[in-house]
């Protein structure tokens, strides 16, 4: 916890074993997968962020100074320059090194480098009042000019830097660039209108309000980097969308942030990133001097490494491992539920362009069986493309209950008794919303085959999976999303703001409705738009929302964990080794 933050109660998810056990009692766990009227549903699920129930422990000062804390991650980071990243494994590391203007307490936006901020009435001018006495790791001071230098840099990217392969989030938030490169496929004009600095104040202007703000200012991709360190590089190495990332993004000692840790080594051979405490940090100093993020891609190997004492924590615990870990003395905090798993019906394929077929497939899938048999305790069936904790979630969407008889009837009426579909799912990965992709695929494939659909399995490695789904190569596929900030547009706008090859449908009512809602600066009015749009989207049925899942994270018995985040934005400076 950072002492410079305002005194907002830390509403982190409970970290005690007792909390895990009590949470498990809330969910019906029928092994046969049949619908259960006592099963937890989205309507009665508690998506709040409760106070953690475990007490503070006495720190082991010697261990915290002399023993590196090793955390097992599912994958390597991709870039040490956060603006070029869009993946959680990169942000897990960069959030410890670089700070953002705004931050999160649970899902609430709170001060970060800016201790206060305000917007004008139409949401096009955002003024940030920065903290005094903040220095970058290279000794340069934080001021308004440093903030503006970062935003101006991003807006002036050219060539391959404009490709969504590199600046996905930036173009999502700000549209285009100062001068769009026609070869990069960016057609939208930039929404960035400039930045003005005045001492410890930075005023960022946008041309038109969108619901991405102020959330965009809390995103790890918009973290503030020392302008002095940026002078060591030139943004001209990436000419095409297929060029590799610049070399400096893979090296320590180039870019400097203001975070509680600074990067000292990235050993690519050992797949290990080493961070050391920054003693001049503006907030409360990190309690453990050295943190190492070590990639262990195999889920079982991560658990074995924890059991053996080779690591002190790891992420994305397999649901079946939670109880054994707790019984062995490990701590397994469960994050709040702020994600969704879905199955896409890509309508560029003629069979799936038929609404009756999409409806039939939806009735065929026993989503409660997935929740009960695959997800950790606390999971629930999803009814729409965002979690119930967000303003705009609707109680009146079409829900497509599990009804295999109705599915069979609809397929017959559509003349599709012999329907064959390719179904893609990712391998070699687990995600917060999808802890066991193959198991989930097997259940859905079995359900579809039970109503007469022939399923052709298409397993794809994760590194190739996102490009395959985005380019429309998969008729059916599993994917999901963990929210970046507490705004419905971060879910609905991510998928349905415009026509795309990954969904393949054209519905002007949805596209125009999302544009109108996103441009509405009044949150209460905007929420009404989201409610209506959720109902329209579920009538269109571009895919089947499957579930919301509370991902678990494990720690050794002698570790006092940090507050866990439903946004997976853990602050490693808060955790420490505890005395026995």
């Amino acid at each position: 916890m950072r002492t410079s933050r305002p005194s907002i109660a830390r509403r982190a998810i409970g970290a005690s074993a007792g909390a895990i056990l009590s949470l498990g009692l809330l969910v019906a766990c029928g092994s046969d997968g049949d619908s259960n009227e006592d099963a937890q549903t989205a309507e009665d699920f508690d998506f709040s962020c409760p106070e953690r129930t475990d007490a503070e422990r006495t720190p082991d000062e010697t261990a915290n100074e002399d023993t590196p804390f090793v955390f097992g991650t599912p994958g390597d980071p991709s870039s040490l320059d956060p603006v070029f990243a869009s993946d959680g494994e990169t942000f897990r590391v960069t959030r410890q090194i670089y700070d953002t203007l705004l931050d999160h307490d649970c899902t609430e936006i709170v001060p970060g480098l800016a201790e206060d901020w305000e917007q004008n009435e139409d949401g096009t001018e955002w003024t940030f009042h920065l903290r005094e006495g903040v220095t970058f790791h290279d000794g340069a001071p934080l001021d308004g000019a440093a903030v503006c230098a970062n935003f101006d840099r991003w807006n002036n990217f050219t060539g391959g830097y404009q490709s969504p392969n590199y600046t996905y989030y930036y173009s999502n938030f700000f549209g285009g660039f100062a001068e769009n490169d026609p070869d990069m496929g960016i057609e939208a004009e930039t929404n960035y209108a400039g930045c003005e600095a005045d001492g410890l104040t930075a005023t960022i202007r946008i041309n038109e309000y969108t619901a991405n703000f102020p959330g965009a200012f809390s995103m790890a991709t918009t973290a503030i980097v020392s302008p002095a360190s940026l002078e060591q590089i030139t943004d001209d190495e990436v000419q095409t969308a297929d060029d590799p990332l610049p070399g400096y993004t893979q090296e320590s000692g180039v870019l400097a942030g203001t975070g509680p840790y600074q990067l000292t080594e990235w050993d690519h051979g050992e797949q290990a990133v080493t961070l050391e405490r920054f003693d001049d940090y503006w907030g409360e100093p990190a309690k453990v001097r050295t943190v190492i993020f070590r990639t262990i891609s195999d889920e079982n190997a991560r658990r074995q490494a924890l059991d053996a004492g080779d690591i002190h924590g790891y992420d994305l615990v397999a649901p079946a491992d939670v109880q054994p870990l707790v019984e062995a003395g490990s701590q397994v905090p469960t994050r709040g539920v702020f994600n969704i798993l879905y199955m896409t019906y890509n309508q560029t394929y003629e069979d799936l362009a038929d609404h009756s077929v999409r409806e039939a497939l939806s009735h065929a899938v026993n989503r409660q069986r997935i929740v009960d048999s695959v997800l950790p305790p606390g999971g629930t069936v999803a009814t729409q493309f965002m979690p119930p904790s967000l303003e705009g979630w609707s109680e009146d969407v079409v829900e497509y209950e599990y009804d295999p008889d109705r599915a069979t009837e609809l397929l017959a009426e559509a003349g599709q008794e012999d329907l064959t579909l390719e179904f893609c799912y990712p391998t070699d990965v687990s995600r917060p919303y999808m802890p066991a992709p193959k198991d989930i695929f097997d259940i859905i494939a079995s359900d579809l085959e039970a109503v007469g659909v022939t399923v052709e399995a298409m397993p794809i490695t994760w590194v190739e999976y996102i490009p395959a789904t985005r380019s429309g190569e998969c008729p059916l596929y599993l994917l999901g999303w963990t929210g970046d900030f507490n705004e419905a547009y971060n879910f609905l706008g991510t998928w349905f703001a415009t026509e795309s090859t990954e969904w393949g449908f054209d519905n002007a009512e949805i596209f125009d409705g999302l544009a109108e809602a996103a441009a509405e600066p009044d949150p209460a009015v905007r929420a009404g738009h989201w409610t209506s749009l959720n109902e329209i989207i579920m009538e269109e049925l571009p895919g089947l929302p499957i579930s919301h899942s509370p991902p678990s994270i494990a720690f050794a018995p002698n570790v006092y964990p940090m507050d866990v985040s439903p946004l997976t934005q853990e602050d490693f400076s808060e955790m420490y080794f505890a005395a026995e």
Side-chain angles (χ1 to χ4, degrees), residues 137-148:
H137 301 152
D138 60 6
L142 172 74
D143 56 14
V147 171
C148 289

Side-chain angles (χ1 to χ4, degrees), residues 309-323:
D310 296 332
I311 63 174
H312 305 100
Y314 74 94
D315 203 357
L316 302 184
V317 178
D321 287 341
V322 172
Q323 189 60 32

Side-chain angles (χ1 to χ4, degrees), residues 130-141:
L130 305 174
R131 300 178 186 275
E132 295 185 9
V134 177
T135 59
F136 291 97
H137 301 152
D138 60 6

Side-chain angles (χ1 to χ4, degrees), residues 53 56 77 94 152 241 250 270 285 295 323 358 378 406 421 445 447 506 555 579:
T53 58
E56 288 271 3
T94 63
D152 288 343
Q250 312 297 305
E270 294 294 326
T295 300
Q323 189 60 32
R358 301 198 302 277
R406 179 58 178 153
L421 290 170
D447 288 343
D506 185 3
F555 295 93

Side-chain angles (χ1 to χ4, degrees), residues 366-387:
N366 188 344
R367 291 174 284 175
Q368 189 65 52
R369 180 184 172 199
I370 294 171
V371 169
D372 293 345
S373 61
V374 179
L375 300 190
T380 187
V381 169
T383 64
Q384 52 212 275
F385 284 90
M386 60 185 237

Side-chain angles (χ1 to χ4, degrees), residues 343-362:
M343 177 172 66
T344 293
Y345 305 136
N346 191 315
Q347 293 181 47
T348 60
Y349 294 85
E350 183 177 356
D351 294 334
L352 294 173
D354 186 335
H355 189 279
S356 294
V357 172
R358 301 198 302 277
E359 186 177 353
L361 300 180
S362 300

